[in-house]
Amino acid sequence: MGDLLLEQLTWGNALIFFLSAVVLLMIVLGFVTYAIYFERKVIGWMQLRIGPNRVGPFGLLQTVADILKLLLKEDTIPRKADRALFILAPVLAYVPAFAVLAVIPYTDSLYFADLNVGLLYYVALSGITTLAIVLGGWASNNKYALLGGMRSAAQMISYEVPLVISIVGVVMLSGSLNLRTIVAEQGNWFWEWNFLPQIIGFVVFVIAAVSELNRTPFDLPEAESELVAGYHVEYSGFRFAFFMLTEYVYVYAIAALTTILFLGGWHAPAPFLDFVPGLLWFMLKFACIVFFLFWLRATFPRVRVDQLMGFGWKVLLPLAILNVFVTAAYIEFFIKR
């Protein structure tokens, strides 16, 4: 198998892989740029405010101007900071966030990597970002940054456990960790998608995913009133931008993963709608998930840290484990017969 891979890996193929990665990077950067814009507009609309409307037509260039400002700002590193780790942390946060997108299938034929353990690959790489956030707080040599980093690590580890267990039921039903297979095993009618037979896992997954993203109402690591913006308090310029970029890339990744695991991926909600291209169905479901995340931010207040940790360990984790047993019983008594 190794010799076969070496024979297939020509300079032409390598160039195609590289250009594909560049195209994906451009798509993701475009998403991040305008996801921030639409989030500000949606929240403004929900809270009876105007939102960005000055820079460019309808304010469309506001986020571009913000990014340009970040890139042009002076890059400062605290004198007593651990310079190597301070520089490494933003990179270590972003690289896994972008790398997990390699296994996301958009249609049955549009994907970058078809791994038999694609779901495991996603879970393993996304956990590396936790280390980057701790490193960012530690390397800053600032007590508020360290508190923000440690609080974020505790939160992300606590909610990663129910997040992973919540998708075990999906793996059991599909019998695979391959994301394309998981989509293929979901039926052609919307009530056959995993969000209904796995409703407990779906609810747990969504709540845990919002906490993993450090977004409202679980954005405690960035609670300005308590921790002065947490782990990136000492970061400025493009290094600060890397942390913000990581957050929105994970919004992209989580929205795509939710679509694949629970909402039928590129499948139409009914067979008579199959004339619509699968990519459009995927994008529509993806957009609904992203809008839902924006809606949460505009609606809910931030919870206390004790409420956050207690909810994760005392409510979500038992529900996720219960979902595994219920799914096992369903497979044993209904599917096998």
Side-chain angles (χ1 to χ4, degrees), residues 43-226:
I43 294 177
W45 168 62
M46 290 183 173
Q47 298 177 348
L48 299 180
R49 295 184 288 105
I50 296 175
N53 69 338
R54 296 290 183 182
V55 185
F58 307 105
L60 286 170
L61 297 180
Q62 180 64 59
T63 308
V64 178
D66 292 340
I67 293 173
L68 187 61
K69 179 192 71 173
L70 284 175
L71 295 178
L72 294 178
K73 285 184 70 174
E74 181 182 2
D75 176 33
T76 59
I77 299 179
R79 183 177 56 183
K80 295 186 178 181
D82 187 318
R83 188 178 182 87
L85 293 182
F86 190 88
I87 294 172
L88 177 64
V91 179
L92 195 59
Y94 174 72
V95 171
F98 180 67
V100 298
L101 302 181
V103 295
I104 299 294
Y106 301 95
T107 69
D108 191 40
S109 58
L110 181 59
Y111 53 88
F112 288 89
D114 184 25
L115 300 184
N116 287 332
V117 290
L119 190 55
L120 188 61
Y121 169 89
Y122 182 99
V123 171
L125 277 189
S126 61
I128 298 177
T129 302
T130 305
L131 300 176
I133 290 174
V134 175
L135 281 180
W138 174 266
S140 298
N141 196 25
N142 179 295
K143 58 184 178 182
Y144 294 109
L146 180 59
L147 283 172
M150 295 304 296
R151 175 180 283 190
S152 179
Q155 173 181 333
M156 295 177 75
I157 291 172
S158 298
Y159 277 80
E160 193 168 353
V161 175
L163 178 76
V164 173
I165 297 178
S166 68
I167 59 181
V168 171
V170 173
V171 175
M172 293 168 68
L173 286 177
S174 61
S176 176
L177 289 167
N178 185 297
L179 294 177
R180 289 177 64 237
T181 303
I182 290 174
V183 175
E185 290 296 320
Q186 299 179 64
N188 293 323
W189 293 93
F190 70 90
W191 58 76
E192 296 175 334
W193 297 346
N194 286 330
F195 79 96
L196 280 180
Q198 285 291 301
I199 186 64
I200 299 176
F202 178 59
V203 172
V204 172
F205 178 85
V206 170
I207 297 174
V210 173
S211 182
E212 278 283 289
L213 293 171
N214 287 332
R215 291 181 61 84
T216 307
F218 305 123
D219 58 337
L220 296 183
E222 301 175 25
E224 294 88 350
S225 59
E226 304 172 46

